[in-house]
Every structure is written in C-alpha cells, then in structure tokens.
Amino acid sequence: MAPQIQTGTYAKKGKLGKRFVRSIPFYLMALPAIAYLFINNYMPLPGLVLAFKNFNAKKGIYGSDWAGFKNFKYLFATGEAYTITRNTLLYNFAFIIINTILAIFVAILLSEMRSKFKSVYQSLILLPYMISMVIVSYLVFAFLSTENGFLNNTVLKFFGKSPIPWYSEKKYWPFILVLVSCWKVIGYNCIIYLSTILGIDRTFYEAAAIDGAGKIKQITKITLPLLKPTIIMMTLLAIGRIFYSDFGLFYQVPQNQGALFPVTNTIDTYVYRGLIQNGKPALSAAAGLYQSFVGFVLILSANLIVRKIDADSALF
Amino acid sequence: MFTKQEKIFQTVSHIVLAILAINALLPMILLFMSSITDDNVLIKEGYKFIPKKFSLYAYEYVFKTGPAVPKAYLISVILTVSGVVLSLLITTPMAYALSKKYVLGRGFLNFYVFFTMLFNGGLVPTYMNYTNVIGIKNTFFGLLLPGLVTNGMYIMLMKSYFVTSIPDEIMEAARIDGASEFKVFRTIAIPLAKPIITTIGLFAGIGYWNDWQNGYVYLTKRDDLYSIQNLLNRMVQNIQYLSANSQNVANADIGLASIPTVSIRMSMAVLGILPMLIAYPFAQKAFVKGITLGGVKG
C-alpha cells in the first residue's frame, strides 16, 4: 500500500509541477496587470488608516497620532455626513428612475422606427455621452451665465421676467443636475435596452399583429415584459453603486460655487474638497472609507440578488 | 403597407425622436454660434443661436496669444495615444491569462483582479500613494498612470470574450504544432479578439481625451503639462489665464486689441469638443457595439 500512495503523491506533484511550468508564460502575461493593480488599487489600501488618525503632515499618515473614531464622529455630529449622503442618494434615485424610464421610452421608439433616420436619431442622442464634463459645464454656462446666459438674456427677457442669478440660487440645481445627467446618459442607457429589444423574437409581434393587437398593446404586452429582466438588472447594479456619484457632474457643472453646496455636495465632491482645498485629508479619508465600506456592502448585496435572478447578468 | 395606427405611431415617433435629437445638439449649436459672434454683441445680448455680428476674433486671439492651445492639444493627443496603448498592453495579456483554465492559481488571479471592482481606497489614499510613494505629482505620469486600468472591469469583460468567442481547439492545435504560448497569443488570440480590443481601446481613448480630473489633482505646479481639458477647466475660474500665461504679454505687438472675455470661453470649448465630433462618426459604430457588449455590467 505504502509505495502506491507514494507514487500517487509523486504523480500529483509531477502533474502540479507540469501545470506550473505550463502556466509560467501566463504568469508573465499577467505580470503588467498584477503590478499595475498593485500600485493603483492595493498599495493605497493601508492608507485608509488615515481615517482613524489626527493627520499631521510632518509625521505622515503612519506617524500621525491615532484618533479613534473622532473623524467619523465629527462627520456625523456636524451633519456633514447627513447632507452628502442625502444628496448622493437622492440624486442617484432620481437618475435611476428618470433615466431608466426615458431610456426605455427612447429605446422602444427607436426599435419600432422603420426609417433610415433611425440611426441618425440614435447617433445624435448618444453624442452628449462622448463629451467631457468640463465642456458640459461650458455648455450649461452658455445657458445659465447670469450676465451673458441665453436664459437670462433671451428666454426670461422674452417673458418679461427679471434675470436669475443661477449660480447662487440653490433651489434650481436639483432640476438642472437631473436634466444635465439625463441629457448626457440617455443615449448610452437606451442602447442597452435597445439591444435587448432587438434580441426579441419578431414572430411574437407578427403573431400578436395577426391576433389584432395594436402597437401600444404589442409594446405593453410583449416588449415591456421581455425587458423586465434587463430593467431589474440595470436597476440593481445602479443601486449597487448608489453611494458613488459622478464627480464631474457635481463639481464641474455647478462650477464649484459655495452657495450651491447644500444641494450639490455629494460624498465624492466632499472628499475631493477636503483633500485638495480645505486641507482636511483625515476627514476626507473618513468620508471616503465610509463610502467604500457602504459601497462594498451594497455592491455585494445587489450582486447577490442579481445572481439569484439571472446568474449570467451578475458581476460575479 | 402600414396600418393607420402604425402610421400615427411612426409620425409621433419621428417627432419625439427629432425633438430629443435636436435637444442633444442644441447646447453645442449655442456654443458654436456664440464662439463666432462678436464679443461686444455678446456682452450686450448674451449668448445667442443666431450671431448678429459675425467674428472670428476669439479664435484668432486663442491662437495668437501664445502656444498654450496647440501645446495642450499635443499633450492631449500624446496622452490619449499612450493611454490607449498602455491600457491595452496591461489589459489584454491579463485577460488572456485568466481565460486559460489550466493556469495554476487562476482562482487567486481572478480574485486579485476582481476585488478591485468591489472595494477601493478612494481618492485620499490613492492620492497619498501616488504623491508620497510613487511620486508622480507634477509629472506627465500624473495624467497617465491613475487611469490606465481604473478597476478590473475591462479585464473581466475581455476575459469573458476570450472564453466565449475564441475556440480553444484552434489555439490547442497551434500549440501542438509547436507554437509557444506567446506566439499563440500574438498570432491567433489577438487577431480573433479584435472586436473587444477595439472596444476597450475606444473606451480608454474617450476616457483619456475627456479626463480633466487627473490633471486637476496631480498637476498643481506644472501647468505646462496641461491637456486641453485641464486648460478648459482652468479657464472656468480664470478667464485671463490664457493670456496671463503666455509669453506674448504685449498684445498690441501681435495686433490683438483686447481679450474677447465672453466669446473666448466658447471658442475654447469648441476647440475642446471638435476632435471628438470629428472622430465620432467613425468611432460610433464600435462604440455602440461596445456598450451592448459591456453595457449591462458597465
């Protein structure tokens, strides 16, 4: 018995060794990515302890004194955590609901369109997605600039209204930001739904038409039910990222105007300002860790649910 | 043959989609029209869709005032090209390695890539690391390095393409014929994976061309390294920036009277948008394909 077991383990070792040797070229191929992800994603992780420190630039992250949960207590006690969390969540909810409904609406119209204009419409609606947020902020400025903007000088004048100082009146910004986000991402989202619709078997529609179902009925009885899995998937994945916001949208488009912070400050802009402008890196790190941690839990849970519904759509 | 209902539906669709398409374009039209309007008219009447007095002075000013704009263009181009090439050089081989089932420790490698999609340190630790440890602040690498592979998403996307769309048998046959793994990768896998490589290269390219954040965070002293987006970003706050920074202080010498303060923003933004608009018709098809390929997960 004994020698047999030995040959068995030898054989296994030999196999493992062979597998290892065969794997070497692939390890070499993986090397650049391993090194890059190490630098970009893993090396910073120990720096998260900064969230628990009294940061002192002279002593560095690791030399600074421990502060326990002081930074977090400050964040929550001053209400800053509340404001940035509320803004991040409410905007994301609005984006999820409005952008999803509009994207589906556009996707359905495009899918039913029997005209060569279809691709023209699609290209134009997708175009804003390709434009950087800095330039978007210029586009918005052309409309909203207090002195020279199109709205104040042309639209409001036409209606005989007095100019509005858009960049210091916070009450308009939730609408402006939702509008801008919608303008920018509708084309992108609608392509995802469109590709699902185009994958639907056309015979369903032909059969329904023979049975006398009109366009609207075909859409509500065939297209929408068959879109449901995609809608659920997209929504769940968006919920998984609900603690993250588009930094450019909330920082560039309101042009970093202090008067607008109560309605434009999200976790991402707060972290940025604390680090670069206000010199409070420890508070920033605490807000960032709060975001990463909740974000982690949300992504895991959202994915768990997605995997239950449709394993192929899951991230992992 | 359209039924009556179908006809109504088509007409309504046309109207709605046309409105949305025009809506997507309108801000850009306003931008362009304002950029070619005389500055004094703009000061009096604001940005308008129809220029009352046509003028190219803002453009003339941008190009005559100094090399800032052409230089920023050049940096944007170099950045975008090197960003795309490096991203693909990192992403493609890793994705290929992960697609091979017999690689020892594949589970670990998978997790190593995958974890970056779940959790990240966020801006502060990343900034501290790049600034204090790696030392890329105020160098060209500050623009390039932080965005090469933002997380494992593209690697995973490409990996699943290798797994599902490239038959193992072809590669196995080549290997039996004596080709090395590198040769199989280069001569068989890469050509077959062209669609996904194009897609990810395109996404990386758009990302780099549009990125302003890296320059904003990492280039605090080296504004000579500004990309076109950084230049635009800087001009949001400081309209004088372009001329203040140029060597040609005496504007009169080169025949420039005054800064076209109102139109110059718009002409700069047009210059920033232009390359994207030119490239868009060519890239659009691959882009749409890419969205459907990775959209649900992106």
Side-chain angles (χ1 to χ4, degrees), chain A residues 16 19-20 22-23 25-30 32-45 47-48 50 55 61 105-106 109-110 112-115 117 119 121-135 137-139 141-143 145 148-150 153-154 157 183 188 191-192 195 214-216 219 233-234 237 241 244 247-248 251-252 255-256 271-272 275-277 281 284-285 289 292-293 296 299-300 312-316, chain B residues 2 5-6 9-10 13-14 16-18 20-21 23-25 27-28 30-31 42-49 89-90 93-94 96-97 100-105 109 111-130 133-134 145-151 153 155 172 175 181-182 185 203 206 210 212-213 216-217 229 232-233 235-236 262 265-266 269 272-273 276-277 280 284 287-288 291-292 295-298:
Chain A
L16 216 64
R19 230 180 116 189
F20 177 75
R22 230 194 127 180
S23 301
F26 297 105
Y27 296 147
L28 291 175
M29 290 181 199
I34 293 176
Y36 180 77
L37 291 177
F38 181 74
I39 292 172
N40 190 62
N41 299 66
Y42 287 96
M43 259 173 86
L45 290 183
L48 283 168
L50 181 59
F55 184 65
I61 297 179
F105 176 69
V106 176
L109 290 187
L110 280 174
E112 297 286 345
M113 179 119 284
R114 308 269 166 271
S115 154
F117 280 111
S119 61
Y121 291 142
Q122 187 186 317
S123 307
L124 289 178
I125 295 171
L126 179 63
L127 184 61
Y129 188 82
M130 318 280 285
I131 293 169
S132 91
M133 269 302 174
V134 179
I135 292 176
S137 84
Y138 276 76
L139 295 172
F141 181 80
F143 284 92
S145 157
N148 309 310
F150 181 72
N153 281 288
T154 306
K157 207 180 242 171
W183 177 78
Y188 184 93
I191 285 172
I192 294 164
S195 76
K215 264 268 112 75
I216 306 298
I219 290 167
M233 251 21 101
M234 294 281 292
L237 292 174
R241 290 193 307 263
Y244 291 90
F247 176 69
Y251 187 84
Q252 286 293 352
Q255 302 201 343
N256 194 21
V271 169
Y272 174 83
L275 174 68
I276 306 287
Q277 292 169 352
S284 266
L289 182 58
S292 297
F293 181 74
F296 175 69
I299 289 174
L300 277 187
D312 286 338
S313 299
L315 279 172
F316 44 92
Chain B
F2 285 160
Q5 197 198 12
E6 172 83 36
F9 185 87
Q10 291 289 332
S13 295
H14 266 296
V16 174
L17 288 173
L20 286 170
N23 196 37
L25 271 184
M28 285 172 251
L30 180 63
L31 186 81
L42 287 181
I43 290 171
K44 227 165 57 199
E45 303 188 356
Y47 300 123
K48 277 210 163 62
F49 283 94
L89 282 178
I90 294 173
M94 180 54 145
Y96 182 67
K100 296 289 174 192
K101 284 202 176 64
Y102 53 79
V103 170
L104 199 63
L109 280 182
F111 181 78
Y112 183 84
V113 173
F114 177 63
F115 181 75
T116 62
M117 292 160 67
L118 291 183
F119 190 85
N120 67 76
L123 179 67
V124 184
T126 307
Y127 172 82
M128 297 279 182
N129 179 47
Y130 273 133
V133 186
I134 313 287
L145 216 52
L148 281 177
V149 183
T150 39
N151 63 41
M153 179 68 74
I155 297 177
E172 204 51 38
R175 239 185 54 80
E181 297 289 3
F182 292 104
F185 174 55
F203 275 94
I206 296 168
N210 282 341
W212 53 275
Q213 212 180 330
Y216 200 37
V217 173
Q229 307 290 344
L232 278 165
N233 184 26
M235 287 187 63
V236 173
V262 189
R265 279 180 207 268
M266 299 300 132
I273 251 180
M276 201 46 112
L277 290 187
Y280 185 62
Q284 192 229 5
F287 188 63
V288 169
I291 298 172
T292 42
V296 182
K297 298 184 179 187

Side-chain angles (χ1 to χ4, degrees), chain B residues 157-172:
Chain B
L157 217 61
M158 207 185 258
K159 174 197 132 187
S160 65
Y161 190 90
F162 277 124
V163 171
T164 53
S165 310
I166 302 181
D168 230 3
E169 292 79 24
I170 310 178
M171 294 186 274
E172 204 51 38

